[in-house]
């Protein structure tokens, strides 16, 4: 408390339980942002969350909304089935980079291309977290992981995939942005993006997509502080932050940005 | 929607669609593969006109996972495919088994392994009945022998899926799918309720506690408990076993055959009966639960058995297990790539009877 004002309160939709995340892991921050937006947009009563595989899977223990678990990578297809069966629901997925950009690449792109009225929250920590730090499609060139011990080599493994740019290029996407949660300023911007990613499908404009650059201190073998520094110095230059598509913005007569 | 009692001449694939629509199927997710293309084609025309959902998915994997999502919402939902496509759906089928979700999957199977051919075959029996996906789960499997049965059983499939909260497969082949026969349409069961609250399904929590549908069980003993619960559920499905017995009472030899092969074998048996041969037919209609008790009863009174399949011998394992206390079963496998005629089965049946014709 500062000057008698609470610095934060627990969003009503966030369960008051300890999480299983490693110290400094930003899945917790990302999930908190999702919870705050669900509360602020009054969506928790009609929300249906699609849990996926990876460290993110336990989101269903932390958010007090209806949830179903999807096989690895298939959350966007499961979300499609949920949304088509129950169009009145606010449907969202919460997925890691291995989940969304590797095994689930087809499901992700086609869900966006069809313009499913769902929200995809994509946590990019450049590794497979849960399985012990193997290479992901987003692993940086030169980054050492347990399956590219010499460092990712573009000739052999390709370059890190920029998902937000790809998703923004697809016709059914209404909103696509990349954010980071490494600093207070970036967390504030991330919150706005998450909010818009929920608003776009709610406004029936198409898919809402937000990529959150996040740390995995455990598999990066870094302290949380070093990990945050890596986001600022190494990740953001390659994965530029910003809004890549925003039909809500384009739809305002004055062309001014819709404030969150 | 059909007019009850209406009689129409339709293909098996269309009968499946009409049965599903009449049974209140709200969502269909498909992907083209021969010989079931008539199903997504029909559904793409009919479902949107009824205000229902049709999605052509980007793959069978996606279609099955869309099905998982719709099933989690508690609506009547279905997908269809043929053998290689069903292989791709197995991951989601295992998840739906583990999560206990009601869903209907149609397999108008074709010849395999691999790309095989597009002709009829029963090579997917093991996959359908023993579980082509990972883990210890079962799905109910219904095998129609006529186009009428295809229409009737798809409605039954939805009922069973919801009774047991379990995936149900309708296993046909290119013969059933492509053959035209007159069908009497039944009473449409559609209640028009697209968002029921069944006590377990996802509706958006509203004022109640949140619901969670998952197949992950990490705490000590949780998975064991879940698997034992599933075992009891699968055992309770025994009361829904379905089969047809044809001229078995005085038969010395009983042919066991399912689906379109059962129907062809029935013609052979009629013909052999006309020349005084004491043969009958047992046609399992549910392949899981398997009519083991009925076969055991027949074996106990001294019947002998010949299993005929359109494969190298798969269901024969279940027949042997069922009759093992009293008898064994001979086997005749007709190879895929050929459409068998009733005449093809005459020699194998006579040989099993011990008659040299
Ligand atoms: C079909 C399938 N393949 C592989 C796995 C194993 N697996 C579990 S989590 C995971 C990686 C997840 O990584 P990511 O999506 O980046 O999420 P994170 O753990 O980093 O949050 C993998 C490969 C699985 N569960 N299912
Ligand atoms: S392994 Fe990485 S992603 Fe998973 S909880 Fe730990 S820090 Fe977070």
């Amino acid at each position: 408390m500062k000057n008698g004002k609470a610095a934060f309160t627990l969003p009503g939709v966030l369960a008051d339980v300890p999480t299983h995340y490693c110290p400094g892991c930003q899945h917790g921050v990302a999930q908190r942002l999702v919870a705050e937006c669900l509360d602020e947009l009054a969506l928790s009563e009609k929300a249906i969350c699609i849990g996926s595989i990876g460290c993110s899977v336990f989101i269903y223990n932390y958010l007090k909304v209806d949830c179903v678990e999807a096989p690895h990578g298939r959350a966007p297809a499961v979300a499609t089935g949920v949304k088509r069966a129950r169009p009145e629901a606010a449907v969202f997925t919460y997925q890691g980079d291995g989940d969304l950009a590797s095994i689930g690449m087809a499901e992700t792109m086609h869900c966006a291309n069809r313009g499913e009225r769902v929200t995809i929250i994509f946590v990019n920590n450049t590794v497979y977290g849960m399985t012990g730090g193997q290479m992901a499609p987003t692993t940086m060139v030169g980054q050492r992981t347990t399956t590219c011990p010499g460092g990712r080599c573009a000739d052999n493994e390709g370059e890190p995939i920029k998902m937000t740019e790809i998703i923004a290029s697809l016709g059914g996407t209404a909103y696509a942005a990349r954010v980071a949660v490494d600093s207070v300023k970036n967390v504030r911007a991330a919150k706005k993006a998450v909010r818009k990613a929920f608003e776009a499908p709610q406004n029936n404009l198409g898919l809402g997509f937000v990529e959150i650059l996040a740390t995995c201190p455990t598999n990066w073998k870094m302290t949380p502080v070093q990990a945050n520094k890596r986001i600022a110095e190494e990740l953001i230059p390659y994965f530029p932050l910003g809004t890549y598509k925003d039909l809500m913005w384009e739809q305002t007569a004055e062309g001014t940005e819709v404030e969150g | 929607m059909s007019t009850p009692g209406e009689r129409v001449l339709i293909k098996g694939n269309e009968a499946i669609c009409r049965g599903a629509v009449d049974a209140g199927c709200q969502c269909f997710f498909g992907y083209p593969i021969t010989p079931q293309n008539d199903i997504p084609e029909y559904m793409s025309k009919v479902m949107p006109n009824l205000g229902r959902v049709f999605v052509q998915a980007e793959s069978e994997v996606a279609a099955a996972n869309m099905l998982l999502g719709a099933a989690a919402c508690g609506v009547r939902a279905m997908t269809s495919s043929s053998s290689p496509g069903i292989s791709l759906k197995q991951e989601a089928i295992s998840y739906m088994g583990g999560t206990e979700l009601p869903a209907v999957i149609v397999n108008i199977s074709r010849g395999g392994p691999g790309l095989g051919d597009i002709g009829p075959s029963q090579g997917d029996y093991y996959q359908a009945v023993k579980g082509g996906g990972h883990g210890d789960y079962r799905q109910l499997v219904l095998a129609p022998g006529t186009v009428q049965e295809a229409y009737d059983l798809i409605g039954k499939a939805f009922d069973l899926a919801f009774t047991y909260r379990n995936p149900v497969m309708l296993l046909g082949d290119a013969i059933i799918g492509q053959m035209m026969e007159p069908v009497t349409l039944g009473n449409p069961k559609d209640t028009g309720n697209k968002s029921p609250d069944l006590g377990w399904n996802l509706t958006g929590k509203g004022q109640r506690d949140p619901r969670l549908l998952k197949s992950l069980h990490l705490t000590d003993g949780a998975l064991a408990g879940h698997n034992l619960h599933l075992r009891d559920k699968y055992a309770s499905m025994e009361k829904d076993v379905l089969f047809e017995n044809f001229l078995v009472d005085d038969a010395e030899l009983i042919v066991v055959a399912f689906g379109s092969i059962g129907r062809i074998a029935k013609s052979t048996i009629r013909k052999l009966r006309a020349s005084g041969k004491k043969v009958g037919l047992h046609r399992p209609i549910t392949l899981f639960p398997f009519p083991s008790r009925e076969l055991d009863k027949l074996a106990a009174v001294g019947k002998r058995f010949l299993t005929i399949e359109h494969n190298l011998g798969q269901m024969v394992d279940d027949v042997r297990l069922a009759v093992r206390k009293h008898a064994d079963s001979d086997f005749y496998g007709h190879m895929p790539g050929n459409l068998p005629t009733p005449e093809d089965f005459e020699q194998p049946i006579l040989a099993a009877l011990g008659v040299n014709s």
Side-chain angles (χ1 to χ4, degrees):
Chain A
M1 290 252 221
K2 201 175 155 193
N3 301 332
K5 193 172 166 252
F8 20 86
T9 50
L10 196 68
V13 70
L14 201 61
D16 191 5
V17 294
T19 70
H20 73 290
Y21 296 115
C22 309
C25 173
Q26 288 171 344
H27 266 303
V29 183
Q31 290 180 8
R32 185 187 170 92
L33 294 181
V34 170
E36 286 176 357
C37 292
L38 287 174
D39 268 7
E40 288 170 20
L41 297 169
L43 291 179
S44 63
E45 289 190 4
K46 60 172 186 168
I48 298 181
C49 169
I50 320 298
S52 55
I53 304 296
C55 289
S56 54
V57 67
F58 294 114
I59 189 169
Y60 49 56
N61 291 336
Y62 310 137
L63 289 187
K64 294 186 274 181
V65 298
D66 274 7
C67 277
V68 57
E69 183 183 75
H72 195 25
R74 319 297 175 213
V78 174
T80 301
V82 169
K83 184 66 182 180
R84 298 292 183 118
R86 210 169 272 290
E88 70 284 5
V91 179
F92 68 100
T93 73
Y94 184 89
Q95 305 173 255
D97 42 82
D99 193 79
L100 179 137
S102 194
I103 187 168
M105 181 62 121
E107 284 79 3
T108 307
M109 291 187 53
H110 287 277
C111 179
N113 199 51
R114 283 191 303 269
E116 297 296 338
R117 272 46 172 174
V118 303
T119 301
I120 293 181
I121 308 290
F122 168 42
V123 178
N124 177 2
N125 58 16
T126 75
V127 281
Y128 285 37
M130 183 179 262
T131 40
Q134 297 84 2
M135 186 183 71
T138 46
T139 295
M140 299 297 283
V141 170
Q143 182 182 341
R144 291 168 193 272
T145 74
T146 56
T147 49
C148 52
R152 182 179 183 152
C153 160
D155 268 358
N156 223 9
E157 286 110 21
E159 306 218 340
I161 296 181
K162 299 182 177 184
M163 282 309 298
T164 304
E165 287 83 336
I166 293 172
I167 297 300
S169 76
L170 298 171
T173 303
Y175 179 78
R178 183 183 292 116
V179 298
V181 287
D182 61 321
S183 67
V184 174
K185 177 175 153 274
N186 282 345
V187 170
R188 289 223 172 93
K191 165 97 175 268
K192 275 191 192 155
V194 171
R195 194 178 157 118
K196 285 187 170 185
F198 276 103
E199 282 172 330
Q202 286 305 112
N203 293 341
N204 204 25
L205 294 171
L207 182 105
F209 182 92
V210 59
E211 171 173 352
I212 304 176
L213 299 180
T215 53
C216 175
T218 304
N219 289 304
W220 294 2
K221 308 208 180 335
M222 287 179 179
T223 65
V225 173
Q226 287 169 332
N228 261 341
K229 219 168 145 233
R230 177 179 183 237
I231 291 204
E233 290 173 3
E234 195 189 340
L235 298 195
I236 292 176
Y238 182 83
F239 293 113
L241 305 186
T243 305
Y244 287 78
K245 188 170 190 184
D246 187 353
L247 291 189
M248 282 182 292
W249 184 80
E250 285 168 19
Q251 289 209 341
T252 55
E254 304 81 18
T256 51
E257 199 165 345
V258 178
E259 272 309 310
Chain B
M1 300 282 291
S2 307
T3 314
E6 193 185 339
R7 204 149 156 81
V8 290
L9 180 68
I10 49 174
K11 266 192 189 181
N13 282 341
E14 183 178 341
I16 288 166
C17 295
R18 297 187 72 154
V21 168
D22 289 350
C25 176
Q26 292 298 334
C27 298
F28 178 88
F29 308 102
Y31 190 84
I33 182 170
T34 309
Q36 61 86 55
N37 291 325
D38 322 82
I39 298 179
E41 284 169 2
Y42 183 96
M43 294 305 246
S44 72
K45 274 188 229 118
V46 168
M47 294 290 273
N49 288 339
L50 292 168
R52 305 186 193 180
V53 173
F54 168 85
V55 181
Q56 177 167 329
E58 61 271 29
S59 66
E60 287 87 350
V61 175
N65 283 285
M66 290 175 189
L67 180 67
L68 187 160
C73 294
V75 306
R76 291 190 162 209
M78 162 176 147
T79 188
S80 72
S81 193
S82 181
S83 311
I86 294 291
S87 295
L88 289 178
K89 291 184 195 289
Q90 294 299 335
E91 178 193 48
I93 296 173
S94 165
Y95 273 73
M96 290 188 280
T99 313
E100 296 192 85
L101 297 180
V104 174
I105 301 117
V106 175
N107 182 2
I108 301 301
S109 65
R110 56 191 247 178
L115 204 46
D117 70 11
I118 57 171
S121 157
Q122 294 184 327
D124 294 355
Y125 179 91
Y126 279 155
Q127 185 196 50
V129 171
K130 307 299 178 189
H134 58 285
D136 214 350
Y137 77 95
R138 303 286 188 278
Q139 65 183 353
L140 291 116
V141 183
L142 308 177
T146 64
V147 176
Q148 178 72 54
E149 227 171 53
Y151 174 85
D152 294 337
L153 286 180
I154 197 80
K156 177 108 191 149
F158 279 105
D159 292 344
L160 290 171
F162 278 80
T163 302
Y164 293 109
R165 279 183 60 186
N166 206 74
V168 180
M169 178 173 282
L170 187 91
L171 180 63
D173 60 11
I175 304 175
I176 289 289
Q178 298 300 324
M179 166 169 75
M180 280 186 113
E181 281 188 304
V183 173
T184 305
L185 303 173
N187 282 319
K189 282 191 204 117
D190 184 17
T191 56
N193 185 357
K194 290 177 195 158
S195 47
D197 190 343
L198 304 166
W200 56 265
N201 56 327
L202 306 188
T203 60
K205 76 177 177 63
Q207 299 297 314
R208 59 163 170 73
D209 287 340
R211 288 175 186 158
L212 170 57
L213 295 172
K214 63 169 181 134
S215 58
L216 183 68
H217 298 273
L218 288 179
T219 47
D220 238 4
L223 182 61
H226 183 59
N227 282 349
L228 290 172
H229 155 72
L230 291 179
R231 178 198 62 185
D232 294 345
K233 180 171 93 169
Y234 301 146
S236 76
M237 292 171 181
E238 175 74 23
K239 61 181 174 299
D240 280 299
V241 83
L242 293 171
F243 57 84
E244 177 195 0
N245 277 339
F246 177 66
L247 304 179
V248 295
D249 289 345
D250 66 338
E252 287 164 29
L253 180 80
I254 294 177
V255 172
V256 187
F258 76 94
S260 38
I261 297 302
R263 195 243 187 86
I264 295 167
K266 198 170 173 177
S267 303
T268 320
I269 284 160
R270 271 206 194 94
K271 185 173 170 208
L272 293 175
R273 276 279 172 176
S275 60
K277 304 287 184 301
K278 296 214 161 167
V279 287
L281 173 76
H282 174 86
R283 179 171 66 91
I285 297 173
T286 51
L287 301 181
F288 184 90
F290 195 68
S292 307
R293 260 189 216 161
E294 181 61 20
L295 282 168
D296 175 64
K297 257 199 265 166
L298 293 170
V301 295
K303 309 290 184 192
R304 288 184 290 126
F305 299 89
L306 167 69
T307 303
I308 299 183
E309 295 177 75
H310 207 181
N311 60 32
L312 292 173
Q314 300 188 18
M315 181 179 71
V316 66
D317 292 356
D318 286 331
V319 175
R320 285 187 170 134
L321 277 173
V323 304
R324 70 191 183 283
K325 281 186 248 153
H326 315 282
D328 194 358
S329 173
D330 287 351
F331 173 71
Y332 173 71
H334 193 89
M335 285 312 106
N338 292 302
L339 182 68
T341 62
E343 289 68 44
D344 288 322
F345 298 156
E346 269 179 43
Q347 283 312 315
I349 294 175
L350 291 174
L353 262 175
V355 179
N356 294 318
S357 60

